[in-house]
Amino acid sequence: MAMMEEKQAAALRQRFLEVRDRVRAAARASGRQEDAVALVAVSKTHPAEAVAELAALGHTLFGESYVQEALAKQEAVCSLMGGEAGRQVQWHFIGHLQSKKAKDVVGRFSLIHAVDSLKLAQNMQNRLAMLPVTQTGAPAGVQDVLIQVNIGREPQKSGVAIEDAASLAEDVAQMPLLRLQGFMCMPPFHCTGDMATPFFEHMRTIRDAVEHRLGMPLPHLSMGMSHDFEQAIAQGATLVRVGTDIFGTRDA
């Protein structure tokens, strides 16, 4: 497997281990098991070699935001690591997804974090229905998804409006080929550290209310990034999306 230059690789490994330890410590501090919170290493704009380096270290969960980059990187990581090892890597799509791109991502990511409209959900459902079926005649699989909520009510940011989150969740939950797993949010960028806590708390409250309304478990809250993931964990995050603190400043 082709790898990074050793000095770069050592620094990457050190940053990753420090973040992993912080995630585990935050989980313990909130009275939860260490494995209750999954670390999504956000590798967008970073090379496949960096992903392969962390995968060789035992970390297998990575997040991407740009469709074409993500699909190319999936192939590159499989090539670098070898087929079987490369297939152990799990990919989450965490970026804004245009409805017309639904066909490119369903079935290619273990979890899609940012469903934010009924049109997008319907396009995903329709595309999944076109995929091959098993010998039993059942669809080849379902797609796990989260609904992104615009928790800060920012006009420039993606995400369903807070007031519409429950109704969108109800619609998605009725689609047989989509499996609703919970919600994702991003507080306003300037609300770092403890300033983000009220937004995370609000997102958890919305999730709990929708669980009650639908009568089904919604186990995942994807919230918290490099500058606020510890606060997110304290408010119930199960998935934290960390890029900069692991990979360093990205190029784009």
Side-chain angles (χ1 to χ4, degrees):
M1 176 175 65
M3 299 298 285
M4 303 170 63
E5 184 221 308
E6 180 52 33
K7 184 176 180 180
Q8 280 185 304
L12 173 63
R13 291 193 296 266
Q14 181 62 32
R15 290 193 300 267
F16 166 75
L17 292 172
E18 289 174 354
V19 169
R20 186 193 65 182
D21 288 347
R22 287 170 58 196
V23 169
R24 291 176 174 178
R28 291 194 303 270
S30 65
R32 300 157 69 195
Q33 296 294 318
E34 289 183 352
D35 61 2
V37 183
L39 171 59
V40 182
V42 179
S43 49
K44 64 180 181 181
T45 78
H46 295 287
E49 290 79 6
V51 173
E53 186 69 46
L54 293 187
L57 197 62
H59 186 74
T60 58
L61 181 53
F62 296 88
E64 292 284 330
S65 295
Y66 308 120
V67 175
Q68 296 309 316
E69 176 192 348
L71 298 180
K73 197 173 296 181
Q74 289 177 359
E75 297 297 326
V77 169
C78 278
S79 178
L80 285 167
M81 301 191 68
E84 186 58 35
R87 284 190 288 273
Q88 299 303 311
V89 175
Q90 293 185 52
W91 299 92
H92 286 194
F93 193 81
I94 64 172
H96 174 62
L97 183 59
Q98 296 176 315
S99 295
K100 65 182 180 181
K101 293 286 188 179
K103 61 182 173 51
D104 298 319
V105 299
V106 292
R108 299 295 299 271
F109 297 85
S110 58
L111 182 63
I112 296 174
H113 287 226
V115 174
D116 62 359
S117 71
L118 181 57
K119 180 181 179 182
L120 173 58
Q122 288 172 330
N123 282 6
M124 294 171 68
Q125 165 72 21
N126 292 341
R127 176 60 178 173
L128 286 161
M130 296 171 61
L131 295 180
V133 298
T134 65
Q135 291 181 341
T136 65
V142 298
Q143 176 67 64
D144 287 342
V145 299
L146 305 177
I147 288 174
Q148 181 181 358
V149 177
N150 187 344
I151 201 68
R153 302 183 186 275
E154 299 173 274
Q156 80 281 9
K157 191 172 286 184
S158 302
V160 65
I162 291 169
E163 296 79 8
D164 298 328
S167 60
L168 179 57
E170 194 164 26
D171 288 333
V172 172
Q174 293 173 0
M175 296 182 185
L177 301 182
L178 298 183
R179 186 159 51 202
L180 180 60
Q181 295 290 297
F183 292 91
M184 183 263 260
C185 75
M186 291 183 288
F189 185 74
H190 66 275
C191 293
T192 59
D194 291 341
M195 295 173 63
T197 294
F199 297 97
F200 297 141
E201 185 177 18
H202 192 186
M203 185 72 263
R204 187 189 71 236
T205 300
I206 292 169
R207 188 278 306 272
D208 292 349
V210 174
E211 272 192 333
H212 180 74
R213 173 170 170 170
L214 299 184
M216 61 181 284
L218 299 173
H220 286 303
L221 286 173
S222 171
M223 53 189 198
M225 298 186 288
S226 288
H227 53 277
D228 57 17
F229 69 80
E230 283 143 329
Q231 287 80 8
I233 291 171
Q235 296 302 319
T238 62
L239 297 161
V240 293
R241 312 178 306 271
V242 182
T244 301
D245 280 4
I246 294 174
F247 293 98
T249 304
R250 61 180 185 265
D251 296 329

